[in-house]
Amino acid sequence: MGLYKLTLASLLARKTFVIFAFVLIVFPFALPLMTPWETKPSLLEPARAQAAWVLLWVTALGWLLFQGATIGDRWSSDGILEYFKAVGLKKHRQIAQIWLACFTVFSGLAVITFTISTFTAMPRNPIEAQHWVTTNFQYLSLFLLVVAPLLVLAIALGTRINGAAAYAVSVSLALYGLFGIGHLEVFIADNKSFILNLLYVASPHYHLSDLTSRLVFKLGAIPTTEFALIALYLGAIALIAVGISYPLYREGK
């Protein structure tokens, strides 16, 4: 059995993804109904899209990165990776196969969110509907540019340190890039510290991938040039994360 099949079989045997699949299918419809939506029914569909994407972020940070970190830790500690190294599976192929197995399961969860947000919350106006579909495609693309390399980092750290610590590092980096940057930006607005400004510039601005507000307020798709620049920036950050992950990855502890 190859490393990809072994990892995929391990994920499927645990069945924890079933819980998140249920949450992603049911909660986007249930949560908006718990609000006083009757006062303005037109807000129900944007709220459904918001719930769907927020829950996918929670799934990525709470399930996907954890699985990557713990599998990297387990396979390294149990000698599985050393075995595959002995049979000729190179380090980069090991990382790729573990990543692909985790992402195979997660891709199904991402499709659930994309489908719910795109087709069950689409505006009735044809022009708005066209922008809605485009925005969801943009959102999914930017989302994957953030989550995919973070998973590689979680796997690599898992082989280097224990799974809990690897998960803590990777999820902390994600939360910092999504939310911490905003607090830092407010702080440095009245502070001319060179170090803090350098930290802000060097930080991963993952918040650029969060297009939830564009869906909720129906702001339309991001202009093509701006979207390309954001994708290029997040792609560069992704390459850096993967580049850091490779030397961190090791076959045995």
Side-chain angles (χ1 to χ4, degrees):
M1 180 181 290
L3 185 56
Y4 167 77
K5 291 183 178 179
L6 178 64
T7 305
L8 183 60
S10 176
L11 290 170
L12 295 178
R14 293 184 183 184
K15 295 184 174 64
T16 54
F17 70 94
V18 176
I19 300 173
F20 288 92
F22 175 81
V23 168
L24 289 170
I25 293 171
V26 175
F27 279 35
F29 296 95
L31 291 178
L33 296 176
M34 298 179 185
T35 64
W37 62 272
E38 297 92 343
T39 59
K40 197 168 184 181
S42 61
L43 296 179
L44 189 60
E45 292 176 344
R48 185 180 302 148
Q50 179 184 23
W53 282 106
V54 168
L55 289 169
L56 186 64
W57 277 110
V58 171
T59 302
L61 302 183
W63 181 82
L64 181 64
L65 298 186
F66 180 77
Q67 295 301 319
T70 53
I71 287 174
D73 181 17
R74 188 184 319 117
W75 284 178
S76 180
S77 299
D78 293 348
I80 300 296
L81 301 181
E82 289 186 328
Y83 165 76
F84 281 101
K85 178 184 178 180
V87 298
L89 192 63
K90 301 297 184 180
K91 185 162 69 170
H92 66 279
R93 294 183 61 191
Q94 290 188 16
I95 300 174
Q97 290 191 24
I98 297 174
W99 177 89
L100 184 59
C102 295
F103 227 79
T104 297
V105 178
F106 183 73
S107 62
L109 304 179
V111 168
I112 290 173
T113 292
F114 178 80
T115 302
I116 290 174
S117 178
T118 303
F119 299 108
T120 72
M122 187 183 297
R124 293 174 180 82
N125 182 287
I127 297 177
E128 289 185 357
Q130 183 178 0
H131 276 283
W132 186 267
V133 174
T134 303
T135 304
N136 275 282
F137 271 111
Q138 290 178 338
Y139 200 160
L140 182 62
S141 301
L142 298 180
F143 173 84
L144 294 178
L145 279 175
V146 170
V147 172
L150 283 173
L151 175 59
V152 177
L153 181 62
I155 294 169
L157 285 171
T159 66
R160 176 69 55 171
I161 55 180
N162 68 73
Y167 171 68
V169 171
S170 56
V171 78
S172 295
L173 179 62
L175 292 173
Y176 171 69
L178 288 169
F179 307 109
I181 290 291
H183 296 288
L184 179 60
E185 186 175 4
V186 172
F187 183 76
I188 64 175
D190 299 321
N191 193 311
K192 303 303 180 183
S193 171
F194 172 77
I195 295 177
L196 290 178
N197 280 275
L198 181 61
L199 174 63
Y200 177 79
V201 172
S203 297
H205 291 250
Y206 292 142
H207 61 91
L208 295 173
S209 67
D210 186 0
L211 305 186
T212 307
S213 61
R214 300 193 72 90
L215 294 175
V216 173
F217 298 108
K218 297 182 180 179
L219 301 178
I222 303 174
T224 303
T225 302
E226 182 181 348
F227 173 75
L229 290 175
I230 295 174
L232 185 62
Y233 168 78
L234 292 176
I237 297 296
L239 290 176
I240 293 172
V242 172
I244 293 173
S245 300
Y246 185 78
L248 287 175
Y249 183 90
R250 63 180 181 181
E251 291 86 350
K253 291 185 177 178

